[in-house]
Amino acid sequence: PADGRRARASTRAGQLAAAADARSLNRDRHLSSPGNRIDYKQIRKLGHGSFGSVVAAKNLNDGKVYALKTICYRGAICVKQDRERALKEVHALRRLSSHCCVVGLHDAFESTDSRKLHIVAEFCESGSLETRLNSARRSVERNGWECGKISERIVQSWMFQLCGALEHLHKHHTLHRDLKPANIFLCNGGRLVKLGDFGLVNVLESSLDVAKSNVGTPCYNLTPELLRTGGQSKAADMWSLGVCLIECCTLEQPFVKRRAPRYREGGGEAADKKKAGRGRAGRTKAGGGGGGGGGGYVNSIVELGKAILGETVDDHPRLASYSQALRKACSHGRGGCLSRDPSERPTASGLLGTAYFVRAMERFLRFKDHLNACPADLSAWLEARVVMAKMEAATAIVEEGNATVS
């Protein structure tokens, strides 16, 4: 009994010391007063994970609804590390959320015991792109491809808004590193796009720097250069954008569906059947159906890496429903987001400057009043971006003419 009391006393002393250490941490200048959680009333849960939870909450002062993300710091040893990691997201949002295509930050504060961080962000009422894609997959299963597919005009409007968000990040020498449908949020009935979840951002010292950490969701962020050299640059975010674009057009995650002829390892038909069986056992949640080759699903990071380095996904039959310009944007060739050479991928600014996306932005502006889906800040950014693209195109024509004369 005496040993038990001493053990409990030691544990309690450790907890008190950890709490004291947490309170002694310097107050971050990006945080407001602790304990502001009482100003928010939870409406409904939006999601949860190992980090904590996200709820829709009403601010009792201004009456608006926000997304309230609560990050829990772990045990006594990890409080400082977890706090630094969580504050990284706050710092990124403070620095980047001024853009109309990035989720806005309203407030950030810690709990009174300094054991949790609350991030109050803009609430995107239409949910995530992941939810939208899952809904489209169900529609395709019920009604067929032509009735359930996402129209090209919607896809291109999502893409130029995401390009705008990435352009903003990259101008600040920042990589998102976890671009995927679950981190892309929709507003105004799904017409507007906001890029969020900056928990894995990495700030580069210059535009030529390469990040050396391996993070993100593999099927979206495992790039060829990461597999070869272990480094990532701004081109890695463009690869992730290409993967998201392919998924929007085909309603299937690329690279996760094994194509039997490409992965035959000897043994003929028997080996293929054995591999297909393993694929069914470890099937990735890719959703959708039809359109791709058979052979099961990859069930290891090694198989996924092989597919990323050698598989062709820009010839998917469902891509035939879309224009050549959109297919080029997600192709493996030069100028495509899925080029395996990062130097051949377009930049976010480069994609926004193409005639295809300039026309899409102009069309969006023409119908903004009819759609009632274009806030003033987005409208101003689109108008400025269209003017800039046209000026760049005119300059390029003049320079080409001068070069020809010379």
Side-chain angles (χ1 to χ4, degrees):
D3 291 341
R5 285 195 296 272
R6 282 195 294 270
R8 287 193 295 272
S10 175
T11 301
R12 178 60 178 163
Q15 291 174 343
L16 292 173
D21 289 342
R23 286 192 295 271
S24 67
L25 291 170
N26 293 329
R27 179 71 56 200
D28 190 273
R29 64 186 179 88
H30 291 292
L31 301 180
S32 58
S33 301
N36 286 357
R37 178 67 178 83
I38 60 174
D39 294 335
Y40 295 89
K41 179 181 179 181
Q42 179 176 327
I43 298 175
R44 61 187 174 92
K45 292 183 178 179
L46 299 177
H48 66 277
S50 58
F51 64 87
S53 62
V54 182
V55 300
K58 182 178 181 179
N59 186 300
L60 300 178
N61 296 320
D62 62 18
K64 296 181 179 179
V65 177
Y66 297 93
L68 177 62
K69 181 177 182 178
T70 301
I71 300 175
C72 302
Y73 305 150
R74 292 174 294 176
I77 299 176
C78 301
V79 169
K80 188 172 183 179
Q81 296 93 315
D82 281 3
R83 184 176 187 267
E84 291 174 352
R85 192 179 301 114
L87 286 176
K88 188 177 183 181
E89 181 170 0
V90 177
H91 298 168
L93 279 171
R94 290 284 189 200
R95 188 176 67 256
L96 301 169
S97 63
S98 59
H99 194 276
C100 57
C101 297
V102 174
V103 171
L105 177 67
H106 177 70
D107 196 8
F109 51 88
E110 289 181 309
S111 58
T112 52
D113 62 358
S114 298
R115 301 290 298 177
K116 297 177 182 178
L117 175 67
H118 301 285
I119 300 176
V120 185
E122 179 181 2
F123 176 59
C124 300
E125 75 286 350
S126 299
S128 69
L129 180 58
E130 180 181 54
T131 302
R132 176 69 176 84
L133 293 176
N134 287 336
S135 176
R137 290 178 183 119
R138 290 191 295 270
S139 179
V140 168
E141 290 174 357
R142 290 193 304 266
N143 307 312
W145 171 246
E146 289 300 326
C147 295
K149 72 174 185 178
I150 301 174
S151 73
E152 179 162 350
R153 289 194 177 182
I154 291 177
V155 172
Q156 65 183 188
S157 70
W158 289 344
M159 288 304 118
F160 69 64
Q161 291 175 76
L162 286 174
C163 282
L166 289 179
E167 181 185 46
H168 181 65
L169 265 66
H170 294 171
K171 282 183 177 178
H172 287 79
H173 305 310
T174 302
L175 305 183
H176 189 279
R177 300 200 300 175
D178 199 18
L179 180 61
K180 59 183 179 180
N183 292 337
I184 298 168
F185 303 97
L186 306 178
C187 305
N188 291 47
R191 292 281 180 177
L192 305 187
V193 167
K194 303 274 186 176
L195 181 59
D197 201 334
F198 290 85
L200 294 177
V201 295
N202 193 13
V203 180
L204 304 177
E205 294 299 324
S206 74
S207 60
L208 299 178
D209 278 357
V210 174
K212 286 292 184 181
S213 55
N214 303 348
V215 295
T217 306
C219 58
Y220 295 100
N221 301 288
L222 190 60
T223 62
E225 60 269 26
L226 186 59
L227 289 166
R228 293 179 182 129
T229 65
Q232 289 179 307
S233 62
K234 296 172 184 178
D237 281 340
M238 299 308 296
W239 172 276
S240 302
L241 180 68
V243 175
C244 292
L245 177 54
I246 283 274
E247 187 171 359
C248 287
C249 293
T250 66
L251 301 181
E252 292 182 2
Q253 290 176 343
F255 304 113
V256 300
K257 196 168 186 178
R258 186 190 296 113
R259 296 186 179 183
R262 298 289 183 95
Y263 288 92
R264 186 165 295 169
E265 298 174 340
E269 185 178 353
D272 287 342
K273 289 181 178 179
K274 184 177 180 181
K275 286 171 66 84
R278 292 201 308 267
R280 285 191 295 272
R283 178 169 176 160
T284 304
K285 185 180 179 182
Y297 290 77
V298 300
N299 57 2
S300 73
I301 197 71
V302 174
E303 287 190 12
L304 179 62
K306 289 180 179 179
I308 288 171
L309 290 174
E311 191 60 80
T312 300
V313 297
D314 59 359
D315 59 353
H316 195 292
R318 288 181 174 177
L319 289 174
S321 302
Y322 297 91
S323 68
Q324 179 63 33
L326 187 61
R327 297 201 302 271
K328 181 181 178 181
C330 58
S331 72
H332 293 298
R334 177 181 289 273
C337 291
L338 294 182
S339 171
R340 292 186 171 86
D341 183 349
S343 65
E344 293 184 352
R345 289 177 212 148
T347 62
S349 299
L351 270 185
L352 286 172
T354 60
Y356 176 75
F357 282 110
V358 170
R359 288 195 300 271
M361 290 186 283
E362 288 178 322
R363 186 185 305 110
F364 194 90
L365 285 169
R366 283 199 304 273
F367 290 99
K368 64 179 182 179
D369 296 329
H370 174 69
L371 297 172
N372 192 28
C374 195
D377 56 349
L378 177 58
S379 179
W381 172 74
L382 284 172
E383 290 171 355
R385 201 64 192 74
V386 168
V387 170
M388 183 187 303
K390 289 183 176 181
M391 291 178 62
E392 291 172 350
T395 302
I397 291 173
V398 171
E399 290 177 352
E400 183 179 351
N402 292 338
T404 302
V405 172
S406 300

